Amino acid sequence: MDWFYLRKQYTTAIMVGLMSTRPWKELNAKLLAAADRDFERAVLPLMRAIWPGMVQVPATKSYDSSGIDLLCFTEDDKIACAVQCKGFFKTEGLADDQFRPIEKSIESFRKSDLHVGTFLLVHNQDGRNHTVASKIDDLLAKLVADGLAHSAEQWDRHKLFGGIQAALWNMVEERVVQHAAQILAQADMNFSLSADIVSNVPLERSSLILRRGSQAKIVHAGINSSEPGIASLLQRPKNRWTLLTGLFGSGKSTACLKAALQAPNRMIYVPASDIEPARGEVGTNVLMQSILKALSIFADFEDDERLVFERLASPMLRKELSANKSDATLIIDGLDENRALAGPAEMTRFASTLAELRCRVVLSTRLEHFHASFGNYDHLFDELSSKGIPKKIPVIHLSQWDWPQIIELVRHASQKAPSNRNLTSFLEKVRKKKSGGWEVELLKHPLFSRMILDLVADATDPTENRSQLISNWIRQKLIRDLKAARETPIPIKDRDDFLHLTNELMVEVAALMTESDSATDVQLVETIDSEKVIESAERIYRRRRIPLHSITGTSLLVPIAARYRKSVPMRFSHRAFQEYFLALHLQYSGKEAGNYPEAVRGYLAGIHQLD
């Protein structure tokens, strides 16, 4: 990775804009006030954004006496980068009398006979004294000419900021795409057959009409069509705001993720459940920091470094999304899965924050949440109309599938597994619009259709209702997982006993992922800390020190981050599974379900039908 090139690409104009923000002002003051070893300690975490393995060398030891304060190594133990830090107790720029200690340190490195990939001279002044700066550059150029360094540069305070900004933004761009790909891969891993996404899906189009001083309303466009690419619709530049709705499992998240992957670096996909701010925290900077945390951009750094990077990168992300002609798109998926957006006041603050951005915004939510929240929009958009919210917001509703979509999905699955006679036979039936004994309404539901395909492939008999469908499918999925070469939480002596324990774990986790927000209502919590999951697993499996990956590899629980240190938030791979296992908890415990969400009550009713 050419970090010098990245730094130069991150223009001075962007840097100047960022320096007016609070995180960068505070960092600027911290570096100006630091000297000697304090300056080294202040620079170290910043340099780790570029070279993660950077360490501070012990004072008065061999490397320190060789003009090196910070360094990192390559995989074959060569010095990748050596840094000499100079923190001066002055703020008017390099002074003539400061050249001598810099020259002495560079000369110490020259005499050490060490060879490095990159040598940096970092100081806390600016570059206004061109005479001294040029003399330092000449000394560094001689290190390269003499073969002691492949490259050598002087970084004053502003060049240091440019390098850090380039490194942070490079991580943001790369890891936003990686995060979307990870979530899509996790969803696909649920199923044995990696069926292609159905290309033509039925949808209804309408518009949310906003008029200041009058009630918001939905106007149906009278267009019911079968579109070849929902992801492409979400990328249309003329729509600054777009709402995407549909029943659970109708493909909203898949469409959003596909859109994000089709336009890498320009579309930022964020699950709404992961950006809930702390109580009382509002504002665009808070939202930007929540997004960076939700996407686990810096999750592989130590906690103190992660917090620093998130604070520094949040105004960078805000600047990108707030530019007048921003071509970026912010996708916030699953508003219904964020408890903080349940009330009118919370929804108003959230939309008010989004209204300050100038990028395209795509919001997705379950259809029932959209209708239930519609009353919030009356005062919400009346208040926001002055902030530039469009008066007409497109609403795309993913409709129920019909036989053309069912046939296409089964055909793709059959092509992926041409030797599976069960799928071939099932394809022949659906082409004749016969369900093969399965409930047609379940076949018309995208999520349940994928489950049915897995069960058909395994020659499983048709089920009575969706609760039994999920139960049978989960059992078959876990059996498939056990056949793979995966580590399990405990050695398996009896498969059915192990499946029972795993089922018990997911029931307990689902029960833990709830909270009561009033005397009557119980709501689902979006994530749970991995330490709590491991604690439950150790008690249920009766084994200590269970590796987290052995749980995620043989259950429906997944981490929300691809990279992390220590604990990590976890969730069910689909909200429907969380609702189903919570319904099982209610059945096992004999609790009343009246104050639980409607979806949970529905699964519980289906479970009771099977008793």
Side-chain angles (χ1 to χ4, degrees), residues 214-419:
S214 62
Q215 186 177 16
K217 61 180 180 179
I218 294 179
V219 177
H220 293 281
I223 301 176
N224 297 328
S225 62
S226 183
E227 289 288 339
I230 296 298
S232 299
L233 283 178
L234 300 180
Q235 300 177 48
R236 292 186 177 177
K238 67 177 182 178
N239 299 328
R240 188 178 155 210
W241 280 48
T242 301
L243 296 177
L244 180 65
T245 72
L247 296 173
F248 81 93
S250 59
K252 301 182 299 298
S253 295
T254 299
C256 291
L257 288 164
K258 285 286 185 180
L261 293 176
Q262 285 177 10
N265 303 332
R266 304 283 12 114
M267 304 193 81
I268 301 175
Y269 172 90
V270 188
S273 60
D274 298 338
I275 59 172
E276 181 177 351
R279 189 175 301 276
E281 291 186 341
V282 294
T284 310
N285 282 335
V286 173
L287 175 62
M288 296 299 104
Q289 198 164 342
S290 297
I291 288 174
L292 293 171
K293 182 178 180 180
L295 298 179
S296 305
I297 301 296
F298 308 114
D300 51 340
F301 290 90
E302 294 289 351
D303 287 346
D304 55 347
E305 294 171 357
R306 175 183 60 79
L307 291 173
V308 168
F309 294 160
E310 286 174 355
R311 285 199 74 230
L312 294 176
S314 60
M316 300 169 67
L317 182 59
R318 178 182 180 179
K319 187 175 183 67
E320 176 72 15
L321 301 182
S322 300
N324 285 330
K325 295 184 179 180
S326 174
D327 60 349
T329 300
L330 176 61
I331 302 174
I332 300 182
D333 181 32
L335 296 179
D336 55 293
E337 298 181 17
N338 189 322
R339 293 160 295 150
L341 304 180
E346 292 82 0
M347 190 72 177
T348 298
R349 283 198 298 267
F350 182 69
S352 179
T353 299
L354 291 178
E356 297 178 14
L357 306 178
R358 291 294 175 264
C359 64
R360 292 189 297 276
V361 175
V362 176
L363 305 175
S364 84
T365 187
R366 288 189 186 185
L367 180 64
E368 53 268 34
H369 176 264
F370 176 73
H371 287 309
S373 303
F374 184 72
N376 299 342
Y377 294 135
D378 293 349
H379 72 278
L380 167 63
F381 289 103
D382 180 58
E383 176 183 330
L384 297 178
S385 58
S386 62
K387 291 192 174 184
I389 294 293
K391 293 186 172 76
K392 184 178 181 181
I393 299 178
V395 179
I396 301 174
H397 171 64
L398 299 182
S399 305
Q400 187 181 51
W401 279 9
D402 211 333
W403 287 108
Q405 289 75 40
I406 297 171
I407 294 170
E408 184 178 358
L409 181 67
V410 179
R411 179 175 59 81
H412 278 306
S414 181
Q415 290 175 345
K416 296 284 186 181
S419 61

Side-chain angles (χ1 to χ4, degrees), residues 529-545:
D529 192 274
S530 58
E531 290 183 353
K532 292 185 177 179
V533 174
I534 292 175
E535 182 181 334
S536 293
E538 289 178 343
R539 181 170 43 76
I540 290 172
Y541 291 118
R542 297 182 180 180
R543 184 182 181 184
R544 299 283 295 169
R545 297 180 180 178

Side-chain angles (χ1 to χ4, degrees), residues 38-68:
D38 287 339
F39 183 65
E40 295 174 24
R41 285 188 283 269
V43 169
L44 177 60
L46 303 178
M47 299 304 293
R48 283 178 176 161
I50 304 176
W51 289 279
M54 188 75 68
V55 297
Q56 184 180 23
V57 303
T60 71
K61 300 297 182 179
S62 55
Y63 282 114
D64 181 56
S65 61
S66 299
I68 297 176

